Amino acid sequence: MQRRRLTRLIPWLSAIMVGGCSPSAAKAGSCDSLAALALPSTTITSAQVVPAGAFRLPAGARAASVDFFTAFGKLASFCRVQATIAPSTDSRIKVEVWLPMSGWNGRYLGVGNGGFGGSLAYFRLGEAINTGYAGASTDTGHEGGARDSRWATGHPEKQTDFDYRAVHEMTSLAKAAISAFYGKPPNRSYFSACSNGGRQGLMEAERYPTDYDGIMAGAPAYHFGFRTFVSGRLDSFRDRGGKLVIYHGGADNPAGSVEFFRDMQVRVGRDRADAFMRLYLVPGMGHCGSGLVPNDFGQWVRPGADPQHSMLTALEQW
């Protein structure tokens, strides 16, 4: 696949604009003490320090896209918290929270899943740690391939976990672990993902408006999964100051995102919609970044990127 990097963010995007916080130093506490973290329906199965460069992908982990972060051997040391959460008798949600041992930027980044989930997003976790964030990922409540939906048959609680509950439970655990480890909560919390992960971001904004301060939702799968969110009921997220950025490839059937955005403008007025929500269409781009056009416009999380080259940094400064 041909890939060409955009040198600037704004000129290549059709906007229907993305308009913070400064890094703060924090001294890490004891990692193994997080094994005693007590949260409802939550079992901490492991809390251990991973030495610099020592993380290895578990056997059978999914292959990475060429765009994904894979330089685990270059990661600084971090505290790895592994947990299983069971909010129902048929729930078994696996979550990992990664916490930098040093150099934490004071912020939390939740990461989402593609397809039907079924595994942890280790590449996205590595991307978060590499950029100074504390990060968290979930398998969405089941194990399986990205295209495998057999787990859902006859399991309505697992469907609920996949639809929205797993990401919220992940977020609650991550914030508790951050507070316990660093002695203070994150200054800001963000969520970044594409495809089903984009849908997860919108579900978070709708159902749990206090979970995240900013959400970057790429190519949301509006009718993907088993239950869909109400079109645009994001009033509570907006009223508390939440910011939402949606991006979608022009060659990836972006009609759903355009409709979603326009419905919001009609319902609350263009000025009120523009005050908290932006939509960017990337000409010629496929799903989340594919295609034979410039398709790297700052949607990936990279260290040291300025707002002209990083959508997440721009979102933070909005």
Side-chain angles (χ1 to χ4, degrees), residues 222-266:
Y222 292 96
H223 303 291
F224 186 81
F226 305 96
R227 300 180 181 90
T228 57
F229 46 82
V230 182
S231 183
R233 302 295 182 186
L234 304 176
D235 300 42
S236 296
F237 179 75
R238 177 199 66 211
D239 292 346
R240 66 170 292 268
K243 305 295 185 183
L244 171 64
V245 172
I246 300 173
Y247 65 88
H248 214 128
D252 186 33
N253 189 22
S257 289
V258 174
E259 180 181 3
F260 182 84
F261 187 79
R262 287 178 175 168
D263 284 350
M264 177 63 72
Q265 288 184 321
V266 169

Side-chain angles (χ1 to χ4, degrees), residues 125-241:
L125 281 172
E127 188 179 60
I129 288 290
N130 189 51
T131 318
Y133 297 89
S137 174
T138 174
D139 66 356
T140 70
H142 66 276
E143 295 180 357
R147 299 179 183 274
D148 180 9
S149 63
R150 291 172 295 178
W151 52 269
T153 304
H155 295 279
E157 293 293 342
K158 290 187 182 299
Q159 292 181 18
T160 297
D161 292 335
F162 171 82
D163 288 347
Y164 57 85
R165 190 162 56 192
V167 173
H168 174 63
E169 295 287 349
M170 170 196 85
T171 303
S172 297
L173 171 60
K175 289 185 176 182
I178 289 169
S179 294
F181 188 59
Y182 296 112
K184 63 179 183 178
N187 297 327
R188 290 287 188 271
S189 297
Y190 298 95
F191 185 88
S192 176
C194 191
S195 191
N196 176 50
R199 180 196 65 84
Q200 291 172 326
L202 295 184
M203 292 292 282
E204 274 289 300
E206 180 193 279
R207 289 180 173 270
Y208 307 103
T210 63
D211 275 3
Y212 292 97
D213 300 295
I215 292 172
M216 194 166 76
Y222 292 96
H223 303 291
F224 186 81
F226 305 96
R227 300 180 181 90
T228 57
F229 46 82
V230 182
S231 183
R233 302 295 182 186
L234 304 176
D235 300 42
S236 296
F237 179 75
R238 177 199 66 211
D239 292 346
R240 66 170 292 268

